[in-house]
């Protein structure tokens, strides 16, 4: 299946030859792909206040951008070609999540989200480049992709979205449903809808150094525990009362040099940082929660599944669950790691001990007994 997705390449060969290196066009990456959303269900999502959405159109020779949530009337009677983009569609729909998970040959720590766009004929978001790798999978309709590896990535100043000032495509393809184009970061591209068109963007994350450093500093601030206090039993007479004492600078330098970190701290930070849900994501604890006994029965019969919004990563004995660190009992570790990889566990994997552990997650809205089937 992966080989079809990657045009006959194994995941290993794709990573070695294309990932972060050069584009790959795959015809029929998902044969008979019907898409996950139809127009109406995608536009419904764009009207949902819990969903991040944008509308883009080109009017009076200028690019225009509006941010959701929208009203259904916003999509009616529009003269110009337009496009609506819904980010994090995988958080709202199981089939959308399943589509994203087809790309599990890349670590979840690198995965960002599934963005889905709908465009009327002629619509698109203009020539641009992204800072991240992306797989552009064509759903319904046809989209013309133009791409180019250009050095000049300067943008039109003052535009409400990032549009290349001088786009010079070198290749052009019309993508039919199920075709897919992989683009490495900073590759110029422009997608123009040739008919009513839906595109599924499987996007990855690659944080900037500055962003990571800022995140790490606030992590240190939260977790740091340093002892001691400034002291100066040998204080010298102040000849200039306003002068900053040199001894003070020396002592504070020593105090600050006690801020140390190692690989384990970096791992803990990364686990928390990468599993932190985005700012607009909220969990819904069950309205009428099962008792623990009923929860155990439901899980051992049907299995347990993570909520679509839950982010669960692990390293060794540590789990990173929605921005927090957990140190589970070692008897549960293997199964919890399996849960993180597969996002669900079969009933046969569950016993009262692990169910009691997962009961806390259930009450926080992080997961629930699987919906159907006895086992999977
Ligand atoms: C789109 O779906 O219209 C835009 C996707 C992209 O260019 O990254
Ligand atoms: Co793009």
């Amino acid at each position: 299946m992966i080989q079809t997705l990657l045009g006959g390449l194994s995941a290993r060969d794709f990573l070695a030859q294309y990932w972060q290196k050069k584009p790959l066009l795959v015809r029929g990456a998902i044969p008979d792909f019907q898409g996950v959303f139809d127009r109406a269900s995608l536009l419904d999502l764009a009207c949902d206040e819990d969903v991040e959405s944008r509308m883009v159109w080109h009017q009076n020779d200028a690019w225009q951008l509006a941010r959701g949530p929208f009203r259904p009337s916003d999509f009616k009677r529009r003269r110009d070609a337009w496009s609506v983009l819904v980010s994090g569609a995988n958080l709202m729909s199981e089939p959308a999540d399943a589509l994203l998970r087809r790309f599990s040959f890349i670590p979840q720590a690198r995965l960002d989200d599934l963005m889905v766009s709908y465009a009327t004929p002629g619509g698109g978001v203009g020539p641009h480049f992204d800072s991240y790798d992306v797989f552009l999978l064509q759903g319904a309709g046809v989209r013309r992709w133009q791409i180019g590896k250009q050095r000049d990535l300067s943008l039109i100043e003052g535009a409400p979205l990032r549009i290349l000032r001088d786009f010079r495509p070198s290749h052009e393809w019309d993508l039919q449903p199920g075709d897919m184009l992989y683009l490495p970061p900073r590759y110029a591209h422009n997608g123009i809808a040739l008919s009513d068109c839906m595109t599924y963007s499987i996007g990855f994350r690659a944080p900037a150094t500055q962003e990571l450093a800022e995140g790490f500093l606030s992590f240190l601030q939260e977790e740091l525990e340093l002892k001691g206090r400034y002291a100066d039993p040998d204080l010298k007479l102040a000849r200039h009362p306003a002068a900053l004492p040199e001894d003070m600078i020396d002592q504070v330098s020593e105090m600050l040099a006690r801020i140390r970190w190692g690989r384990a701290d970096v791992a803990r930070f990364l686990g928390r940082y990468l599993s932190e849900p985005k700012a607009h994501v909220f969990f819904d604890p069950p309205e009428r929660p099962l008792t623990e006994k009923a929860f155990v029965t439901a899980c051992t019969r049907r299995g347990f599944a993570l909520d679509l919004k839950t982010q669960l990563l692990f390293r060794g004995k540590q789990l990173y669950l929605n921005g927090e660190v957990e140190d589970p009992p070692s008897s549960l570790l293997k199964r919890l790691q399996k849960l993180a990889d597969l996002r669900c566990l079969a009933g046969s994997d569950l016993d009262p001990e692990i169910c009691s552990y997962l009961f806390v997650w259930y009450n926080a809205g992080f997961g629930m007994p699987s919906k159907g089937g006895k086992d999977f």
Side-chain angles (χ1 to χ4, degrees), residues 203-225:
F204 295 84
R205 65 191 295 190
T209 314
Q210 177 71 20
E211 192 187 323
L212 280 172
E214 286 175 13
F216 187 61
L217 288 176
S218 56
F219 162 85
L220 279 184
Q221 187 176 352
E222 239 179 78
E223 303 230 339
L224 204 63
E225 273 181 57

Side-chain angles (χ1 to χ4, degrees), residues 83 85 115 117 124-125 128 130 134 136 143 145 189 199 201:
S83 182
L85 302 103
M115 182 183 81
S117 70
V125 298
H128 66 282
D130 298 308
V134 66
L136 299 156
R143 185 180 282 266
W145 281 107
H189 55 286
T199 299
S201 302

Side-chain angles (χ1 to χ4, degrees), residues 1-9 11 14 24-31 99-105 135 137 178-182 202:
M1 204 149 92
I2 288 257
Q3 291 207 324
T4 311
L5 187 69
L6 298 174
L9 290 169
F14 168 77
L24 175 67
L25 172 71
V26 181
R27 295 285 182 195
I30 303 189
L99 177 61
L100 192 64
R101 305 288 159 198
R102 285 185 185 233
F103 294 81
S104 290
F105 56 93
F135 290 94
L137 172 67
D179 292 349
M180 186 172 78
L181 176 63
Y182 162 75
I202 295 92

